Amino acid sequence: ASGTALLICDGSYKPKSSDTKGAAAWIIRCTQCKRQAIGALQSPGADANAYRSELTGLYAVLAFTKAVCDVLGITTGRLTLGCDNITGLSKAGSTVTRVPSRVKHADIIRAIRNVRSELPITVDILHVYGHQDDQTSFEDLSEEAQMNTICDDYAKRHLDWTISADSPQTQMLPHEN
């Protein structure tokens, strides 16, 4: 159904464990049937920090959505994209695809905007407050907050695995240029 896709992502960065690696996790879920896809990935490049990890999650969930639209022939619709990073959401929410190279993390912001400009569906932006599970039981959280909590956990686990496996850095994203 139109307007039932919910995309949530979160990033992780642990400078005490590695100052060169970050990771992100994402969930795309149909709010009606509850079917979902979950993914995690390492942030590209060696310029790691929490913000870059959040941007990586935004890019990944939008790129996955674009692939689903392409494969299934989806040409119209609406979805909600959320995360706990207001600045990242603001960058993802802009429809201007040109990003000056002097902007921090221009590579990922450019990739986000390029893939978003190729989406045949409307994207609504939603800020989800992070770490709500510190004060409220998981069961009592909104669906978006529960998804953010799950993404936070997956991103941390993926980052731990990435650091322990000493996986190589990806240098460029598919939609970057």
Side-chain angles (χ1 to χ4, degrees), residues 52-145:
R52 188 170 180 83
S53 297
E54 296 280 355
L55 290 172
T56 299
L58 289 164
Y59 165 74
V61 74
L62 289 170
F64 182 82
T65 301
K66 168 77 167 79
V68 168
C69 289
D70 290 349
V71 169
L72 298 180
I74 296 169
T75 58
T76 62
R78 177 175 225 105
L79 60 82
T80 301
L81 171 65
C83 83
D84 60 13
N85 187 288
I86 294 174
T87 304
L89 282 171
S90 172
K91 299 292 185 187
S94 174
T95 56
V96 177
T97 55
R98 181 163 160 61
V99 181
S101 57
R102 70 179 180 278
V103 172
K104 282 188 181 253
H105 313 296
D107 57 336
I108 300 179
I109 296 168
R110 190 175 302 114
I112 290 168
R113 291 183 182 177
N114 285 340
V115 73
R116 180 151 179 237
S117 73
E118 297 171 8
L119 282 171
I121 53 183
T122 302
V123 177
D124 297 322
I125 302 295
L126 173 71
H127 176 245
V128 180
Y129 287 94
H131 307 283
Q132 293 182 49
D133 57 315
D134 291 346
Q135 304 296 323
T136 304
S137 70
F138 183 84
E139 297 76 25
D140 292 334
L141 296 173
S142 68
E143 182 174 23
E144 297 87 356

Side-chain angles (χ1 to χ4, degrees), residues 4-10 24-31 33-40 57 60-68 72 143 147-148 150-151 154:
T4 62
L6 181 57
L7 286 61
I8 303 290
C9 59
D10 198 22
W26 53 265
I27 300 173
I28 179 170
R29 177 185 292 168
C30 174
T31 57
C33 71
K34 303 301 181 193
R35 289 174 42 187
Q36 65 184 18
I38 301 173
V61 74
L62 289 170
F64 182 82
T65 301
K66 168 77 167 79
V68 168
L72 298 180
E143 182 174 23
M147 290 170 68
N148 181 261
I150 293 167
C151 286
Y154 281 12

